Amino acid sequence: MLVKDFKVIFEKHREGAPTFPVPDFPEEYDLPPELARTAPLNLPEVPENEVVRHYVRLSQKNWGVDIGFYPLGSCTMKYNPKFNEDVSRLPGFTHLHPHAPEHLVQGALRLMYDLQEYLKRLTGFSGATLQPVAGASGELTGIFIIKAYLRHRGETERDEVLIPDSAHGTNPATASMAGFKAIEVRSNSNGTLDVEDLKSKLSDRTVGLMITNPNTLGLFERDIRRITDLVHEAGGQVYMDGANYNALMGWVSLADLGIDVVHLNLHKTFSTPHGGGGPGAGVVLVKEHLWPFVPVPTVEYDEERGMYHLNWDRPLSIGKVHAFYGHFLVAIRAYAYILSMGGEGLRQAAADAVLNANYLRHLLEGEYKVAYPTRNMHEFVLTGMPIKRDTGVRTYDIAKRLLDYGFHAPTVYFPLIVPEAMMIEPTETETKETLEAFADTLIKIKREAYENPDLVKTAPHETPVRRLDEVKAAKQLKVKWEG
Ligand SMILES: Cc1ncc(COP(=O)(O)O)c(C=O)c1O
């Protein structure tokens, strides 16, 4: 929300307008005097209908996947069935108290347990925790697990985590937050990991490799088996950033690729809307040798008692990584999504995501330069360098101009190894007509760049707000009325 809009609600204040009802608690529930307020809260007094209109108007100025195409690469902004939302809002779930005794929450525990089992079956791993609450949180959990494992084996000298230069920024941030050095590994001319460069950086200091597959260029790491063998031979572990799992669901056993630990973003792949910073879930899956180290409590099933329970008795665990058990409502959506899609449905969704991305690339590649012109997985990356060179119009300008035509922009300037990058992920939920309309629009904007560059450089022209100072908006965000 813009500060300007936030102010409006305060500016609508009119003394005496109907506001909160006066509480009528019985006397015996009165707060002790030392806890009671001495002065009224400084809240605006605004009639209910004006508040509703204000916020509905604001929501109409916003962009979302329920309004239109949102091809934000690496973010998997797919349409999520509303049914899964409804299920996660059932009062039986939302009214649960996290301190409720186990015997009263068997249904919730079973849901978490079964979800873990489905994800284990899909990926080929033998252990899981739902506790991390984002991709980045899953990464940190995974690297802490590897750290605990290596320390337990007495390998305290290892302090280097190898990370491809195409990786998401959370990977090196994770390595350094876990107390390790992030060592960059080059990509080769095909956009995948350069195995020779990897070899030259492996040593007895290697903690492991963090690899994203498909990588952030939308390319499957074809040498993955060789890569994981090399890391293991050097005594390291392999962490997979599974944020792009939408392309692989049901097709690949990650465990068979030689991965030791992976996180999946339930908020991208498994039906939780994603954006605005959360809430999410970065479920972590591990092979057997890492299971003793996962966060407590683990959700387990006790055959003897015929009950689901939380196991806190895990002496080698890294401890807790989040309050309670993570974002439970996100787990419910994932559970509902998996059950309603079924195994075949998930495979189909992944295949359609890949098909859509390849079709869109095909529509654009005669007009835009594809950074790595090869068959891609769920996303692909264009470079705006030729257009910038010829016209001075940058990728940033093209992204802004797209808004005028009713499309959300793709991810821009990422991955960092592609200059003037446009990273496009259409997802499986878009129609052929939408993909074609988007491609036509990008091509039209390219023509505008050559014919009337200023029109593109000053876009957007049709949105409720024009160009913002995005750095200032992020760094000096004001959300408090100080009037
Ligand atoms: C490849 C990759 N890794 C990690 C992350 C981090 O996930 P989160 O934003 O949930 O922390 C993202 C997020 O977009 C990503 O694209």
Side-chain angles (χ1 to χ4, degrees):
M1 190 195 321
L2 298 173
V3 175
K4 181 168 71 63
D5 296 315
F6 188 62
K7 270 161 61 176
V8 171
I9 202 78
F10 281 82
E11 284 161 2
K12 282 181 185 293
H13 166 84
R14 261 193 301 112
E15 201 70 37
T19 171
F20 297 113
V22 179
D24 58 352
F25 295 132
E27 225 15 49
E28 66 264 30
Y29 290 117
D30 272 357
L31 282 174
E34 66 277 14
L35 294 182
R37 280 186 186 283
T38 51
L41 255 185
N42 184 19
L43 289 174
E45 294 175 28
V46 189
E48 180 177 317
N49 59 350
E50 290 210 24
V51 175
V52 170
R53 285 173 191 160
H54 171 71
Y55 284 109
V56 170
R57 247 195 321 269
L58 272 187
S59 75
Q60 289 170 337
K61 289 182 187 172
N62 229 332
W63 190 262
V65 79
D66 288 350
I67 298 177
F69 189 45
Y70 210 132
L72 208 55
S74 201
C75 285
T76 316
M77 301 296 283
K78 60 183 178 185
Y79 175 79
N80 293 303
K82 295 291 173 266
F83 170 75
N84 303 332
E85 286 294 315
D86 292 347
V87 172
S88 75
R89 290 192 171 114
L90 290 174
F93 291 130
T94 53
H95 291 181
L96 282 181
H97 196 285
H99 280 309
E102 280 174 13
H103 70 275
L104 292 181
V105 291
Q106 284 295 298
L109 291 176
R110 179 180 163 192
L111 185 146
M112 290 194 274
Y113 181 86
D114 283 354
L115 175 60
Q116 292 175 174
E117 292 302 301
Y118 292 140
L119 294 172
K120 278 157 57 177
R121 206 184 308 162
L122 266 173
T123 54
F125 287 92
S126 59
T129 170
L130 297 171
Q131 211 177 103
V133 287
S137 160
E139 287 173 38
L140 194 60
T141 304
I143 294 296
F144 273 144
I145 289 172
I146 290 176
K147 185 173 183 174
Y149 166 75
L150 292 175
R151 296 291 182 267
H152 185 65
R153 287 163 54 104
E155 302 202 47
T156 49
E157 299 303 306
R158 295 181 181 270
D159 63 351
E160 293 181 350
V161 178
L162 309 187
I163 302 173
D165 56 8
S166 60
H168 195 261
T170 47
N171 291 191
T174 293
S176 105
M177 279 190 75
F180 297 131
K181 290 192 200 81
I183 307 289
E184 191 171 280
V185 184
R186 268 198 315 269
S187 299
N188 59 29
S189 56
N190 301 322
T192 50
L193 192 79
D194 184 326
V195 176
E196 291 310 311
D197 195 41
L198 172 72
K199 276 189 198 161
S200 74
K201 285 168 180 163
L202 285 167
S203 72
D204 51 11
R205 304 275 302 268
T206 302
V207 170
L209 169 74
M210 293 183 87
I211 188 163
T212 308
N213 201 11
N215 68 21
T216 63
L217 294 159
L219 304 175
F220 189 79
E221 293 284 353
R222 287 172 180 270
D223 291 325
I224 186 71
R225 277 284 359 187
R226 198 158 148 238
I227 289 169
T228 55
D229 283 349
L230 284 167
V231 176
H232 289 143
E233 278 159 27
Q237 295 285 294
V238 182
Y239 182 91
M240 186 176 125
D241 177 333
N244 293 337
Y245 187 63
N246 204 46
L248 302 181
M249 283 187 297
W251 290 92
V252 181
S253 161
L254 303 181
D256 287 350
L257 300 181
I259 310 293
D260 298 295
V261 48
V262 65
H263 86 261
L264 308 180
N265 281 2
L266 295 189
H267 51 294
K268 290 180 173 185
T269 314
F270 293 98
S271 193
T272 280
H274 165 224
V283 50
V284 168
L285 296 127
V286 295
K287 283 206 171 136
E288 207 170 335
H289 63 287
L290 297 176
W291 174 239
F293 306 94
V294 304
V296 279
T298 45
V299 184
E300 295 178 19
Y301 182 67
D302 183 337
E303 300 263 354
E304 261 176 42
R305 288 190 298 150
M307 278 180 72
Y308 297 91
H309 72 114
L310 297 167
N311 184 0
W312 291 86
D313 185 17
R314 300 178 56 84
L316 296 179
S317 162
I318 60 166
K320 279 189 76 58
V321 295
H322 193 75
F324 300 109
Y325 325 109
H327 285 154
F328 175 59
L329 302 187
V330 177
I332 299 172
R333 292 192 192 92
Y335 182 78
Y337 180 66
I338 290 174
L339 284 186
S340 56
M341 296 291 278
E344 271 313 308
L346 293 177
R347 268 169 76 82
Q348 187 67 48
D352 289 348
V354 173
L355 179 65
N356 274 2
N358 278 282
Y359 182 54
L360 190 51
R361 175 180 52 76
H362 166 75
L363 293 175
L364 288 166
E365 65 193 347
E367 298 278 348
Y368 279 80
K369 187 167 162 43
V370 182
Y372 293 90
T374 171
R375 199 181 295 173
N376 50 269
M377 299 289 287
H378 63 303
E379 64 193 2
F380 60 97
V381 181
L382 304 175
T383 169
M385 276 310 274
I387 300 179
K388 183 178 169 191
R389 188 190 55 226
D390 295 347
T391 69
V393 168
R394 297 167 304 155
T395 282
Y396 185 76
D397 306 318
I398 296 172
K400 294 292 175 203
R401 184 67 177 141
L402 271 170
L403 304 176
D404 281 338
Y405 290 107
F407 289 110
H408 195 281
T411 298
V412 291
Y413 298 100
F414 180 73
L416 302 177
I417 55 171
V418 177
E420 296 294 317
M422 264 179 267
M423 185 194 212
I424 303 179
E425 179 178 2
T427 83
E428 70 276 15
T429 56
E430 298 300 330
T431 62
K432 186 165 173 281
E433 290 73 23
T434 301
L435 303 182
E436 287 165 356
F438 179 72
D440 287 348
T441 305
L442 265 183
I443 293 167
K444 185 169 176 188
I445 295 172
K446 181 189 162 190
R447 306 246 183 290
E448 289 175 349
Y450 280 86
E451 286 158 16
N452 185 0
D454 278 343
L455 178 71
V456 187
K457 284 182 186 169
T458 51
H461 305 281
E462 310 288 341
T463 47
V465 283
R466 304 281 298 273
R467 260 183 212 212
L468 299 172
D469 182 339
E470 289 170 8
V471 176
K472 196 168 171 198
K475 301 260 177 206
Q476 293 176 21
L477 189 65
K478 285 191 194 154
V479 289
K480 190 167 157 229
W481 170 241
E482 290 164 349

